Amino acid sequence: MATHLVSCIDVRDFGSEMMHVGDLNGDGAPDLLFVQSIHPTREITCLTATDIFGKVLWQVGAPSLDNGRLYSDLPVQIYDWDGDGCNEVLYVTQAVYHEPYAAGGWARERAGRYEGVATMHVLDAASGRERHTFPLPAPADDCFLFADLTGRGRRADLVVKDRYWTMWGVSHEGAVLWEWSGSPGHFPAVGDVDGDGCDEVFVGFALLDQDGREMFAQDPAGAHQDAAYEVRLTSGEWRLLFGNHGLHCLDVSGRELWSKPLAEAQHVVAGRYRDDSEVQFLCIDRGQPRGAERDPATLYLYDPDGAEIWRRTQPAGSWCAGVVAVHWAAPDGLQGGLVYARGPVEPVAIYDGDGNVVDSFQMQFTPARDAADRARDLYVTRADVWGDGREEVILFGSRGCCVYANASAWQPATRYNNTLYPGM
């Protein structure tokens, strides 16, 4: 084990299962943004900005111990929206839901009728002060990403969506460029797959050009995609991957190159986990059926042609498992697969390209947290908080947050033989 606990943050009443990482105060180092919401309605209630040691920089809204749980993705991002070299915080407040539809009888996901519009708020990241707002279509409050839809040379436009039915392209000025109805799934992926200088939008069952025109579309058969990923190979070809009940790999024409009949392929992450091919694909299959008796999650690694390299069954109770890629060992070396929600008491783990667990992490809490707090769900992310190119692992949830670093020695190749006479 080569882990070092960098910080254990007392999140007090502002902890959340959603957190973003980015430079908020302009000092060049990453900070943390905790996002709270009302669980069944997805309404954002509080944003709290801290440094990586938990010092509160600013807060917008009222924090609450009741609002740290997460029902779904939330429309919040940290980004240099105006291109001035400093970040902004962008988030969306909802329109009024008249005639709401409740999924499962309790979760509000859409309405038969809305009043007003959704609103994009742009905040100064250093102070939390609101700079300006602009309207969005009323249902567009699920999540958004940045894309170059207008050929600006940077991702200064938006792709916004409702929960599962509609997606919009929105210009930097707030004008709706296009509307697309279909099956957008949980989150799209963007990339300039046709080389025209603008981003295309991949939603699993369809690929949209920057003007919203369908480059291909397939019948979702009542399903939605749980994960979408675009990767460009050294040959210049693109691979479009998405998971629904299975895992699918497409080319840019929509032709399926290979697929895997998995139960519930929730996450797929392209990366270089091994050196025997240029890219591999990590996938979490959450298993079926739902409920206490469901099969445990399984982590798979596939090569570019879809051949299975290995699989690792996760511990019991891992139905919500997820995976992200992490540069844990070296900034330009092989990546690892960071797997979380592996069961109610299992640590977060990093798998290497051979399927071995090389490091693991437990959430650390401040002494004020009791046993009930420690049983709460947690998520993970990674970010280079030290600036050495390696990524630190951040565990966070509604009752805690902690940061781990790799404690094993690493230096660029020439630094350990330092000399006044360059050339070594």
Side-chain angles (χ1 to χ4, degrees), residues 234-257:
T234 54
S235 65
E237 296 180 86
W238 287 79
R239 294 292 180 264
L240 311 179
L241 291 104
F242 76 99
N244 56 350
H245 291 297
L247 175 63
H248 309 269
C249 179
L250 314 178
D251 65 16
V252 296
S253 73
R255 178 171 62 100
E256 186 169 87
L257 303 176

Side-chain angles (χ1 to χ4, degrees), residues 169-188:
V170 179
S171 75
H172 186 82
E173 295 77 20
V176 175
L177 302 172
W178 48 262
E179 177 180 334
W180 177 83
S181 295
S183 181
H186 284 301
F187 208 98

Side-chain angles (χ1 to χ4, degrees), residues 195-240:
D196 67 352
C198 296
D199 285 323
E200 283 68 52
V201 184
F202 177 54
V203 295
F205 299 97
L207 179 67
L208 310 182
D209 211 347
Q210 69 267 16
D211 58 4
R213 177 182 58 86
E214 290 181 347
M215 300 175 71
F216 69 76
Q218 300 173 359
D219 182 5
H224 65 257
Q225 59 87 358
D226 290 315
Y229 207 102
E230 298 180 351
V231 60
R232 187 182 186 189
L233 305 180
T234 54
S235 65
E237 296 180 86
W238 287 79
R239 294 292 180 264
L240 311 179

